[in-house]
Amino acid sequence: MFITLYKVSKFIARFFKELFMPPYEFKEVIKQCYDVGVRSFTLITVTGFIVGWIFTKQSRPSLVTIGATSWLPSLVSIAILRALASLVTALIAAGKVGSSIGAELGSMRVTEQIDAMEVSGTKPFKYLVCTRVIATSITVPLLATYTAFIALLGGYLNVAQNEGISFTTFMQNAFDPITFIDFWATLTKSLVFGFTIGIVGCYQGYNALRGTEGVGKAANGAVVTAMFLVFIEEVIVVQIFGWLR
């Protein structure tokens, strides 16, 4: 366990060391942002809408019993913006993006493409790892923000169906209890989640064992480890911003 922690720490330190050193692979970063963000757009949209709709539908009966359905927009917005948006986005990204990165780099390691890049004088770590971690760190917060608004849209449609509330009134009630710290907390969590998903996927793939079995283990390890760390980081960040409130 301690050996693994040492290797991971060394891997992360190498990332920050090479991050600010030339060459700067801007085109590859943009390409990876497209792969992480745009190709996850449909899945994020559908999932975010369903989360908002279902959460609102499940919360409404409890508020109806105490005659507090007017609180529903506020309840939905607090739950989505403070927790659900960033967490759901991170879990989807860990499953889709993390496994993809782990499998891609793992196959390159197994087929000795990374070794060939090192022999040819290029910097495979800079090109393969740094670009992907930067891309996930940028796109996951953007996707989380988008997920929040899509989930609120799903919540609004459910409320409008039952209460006949207007979109303007719903949004006013939804954002009334939200503070600036809530936005910062969501963005901070999403940034941490994105970095974690990228660095875990790259570490698993870059250090994959020889053979086709290593590719599968790299992809599976990237998903499981990233999801576990996301939950741990969720608890830590929520606690920190809870003190700030």
Side-chain angles (χ1 to χ4, degrees):
M1 176 180 177
F2 292 104
I3 296 176
T4 303
L5 290 176
Y6 171 75
K7 291 181 179 179
V8 172
S9 301
K10 188 176 180 181
F11 190 83
I12 296 174
R14 184 180 178 185
F15 164 78
F16 284 107
K17 178 182 177 181
E18 298 201 15
L19 178 63
F20 302 102
M21 297 174 61
Y24 303 107
E25 306 288 350
F26 293 112
K27 290 184 179 180
E28 182 64 15
V29 171
I30 294 174
K31 177 182 178 298
Q32 293 302 323
C33 286
Y34 175 83
D35 291 339
V36 174
V38 177
R39 293 186 177 180
S40 304
F41 200 74
T42 302
L43 181 60
I44 288 292
T45 301
V46 174
T47 306
F49 182 85
I50 292 174
V51 167
W53 176 279
I54 295 300
F55 182 82
T56 307
K57 187 177 182 61
Q58 294 295 330
S59 301
R60 187 174 182 275
S62 299
L63 296 180
V64 168
T65 58
I66 60 175
T69 53
S70 60
W71 294 354
L72 194 55
S74 300
L75 175 65
V76 171
S77 65
I78 290 173
I80 290 173
L81 292 176
R82 289 186 180 179
L84 293 178
S86 56
L87 188 59
V88 168
T89 304
L91 294 178
I92 293 175
K96 185 178 186 302
V97 178
S99 61
S100 176
I101 293 176
E104 183 181 9
L105 296 188
S107 63
M108 293 181 69
R109 172 62 73 184
V110 168
T111 56
E112 299 182 350
Q113 295 181 50
I114 295 178
D115 297 334
M117 293 176 67
E118 291 175 345
V119 172
S120 64
T122 58
K123 296 183 177 180
F125 191 93
K126 179 83 173 183
Y127 184 79
L128 298 175
V129 175
C130 292
T131 55
R132 284 165 173 76
V133 176
I134 292 172
T136 55
S137 300
I138 292 174
T139 53
V140 170
L142 295 177
L143 289 174
T145 304
Y146 173 73
T147 302
F149 284 102
I150 290 298
L152 285 176
L153 177 61
Y156 161 71
L157 292 178
N158 185 274
V159 173
Q161 181 182 17
N162 294 283
E163 309 296 334
I165 189 175
S166 67
F167 182 76
T168 302
T169 303
F170 177 86
M171 285 301 174
Q172 287 177 346
N173 294 336
F175 283 95
D176 186 58
I178 301 301
T179 63
F180 190 68
I181 294 180
D182 294 326
F183 286 104
W184 271 111
T186 300
L187 290 177
T188 301
K189 286 193 297 182
S190 302
L191 178 62
V192 173
F193 293 162
F195 175 81
T196 300
I197 293 167
I199 205 72
V200 169
C202 290
Y203 174 81
Q204 294 287 348
Y206 203 80
N207 297 282
L209 301 175
R210 302 294 180 182
T212 55
E213 184 180 355
V215 178
K217 288 184 177 179
N220 183 68
V223 175
V224 174
T225 306
M227 286 186 174
F228 175 76
L229 291 177
V230 162
F231 284 114
I232 298 298
E233 291 165 350
E234 170 76 14
V235 174
I236 295 173
V237 175
V238 166
Q239 186 66 44
I240 292 173
F241 278 93
W243 292 333
L244 296 178
R245 289 191 182 94

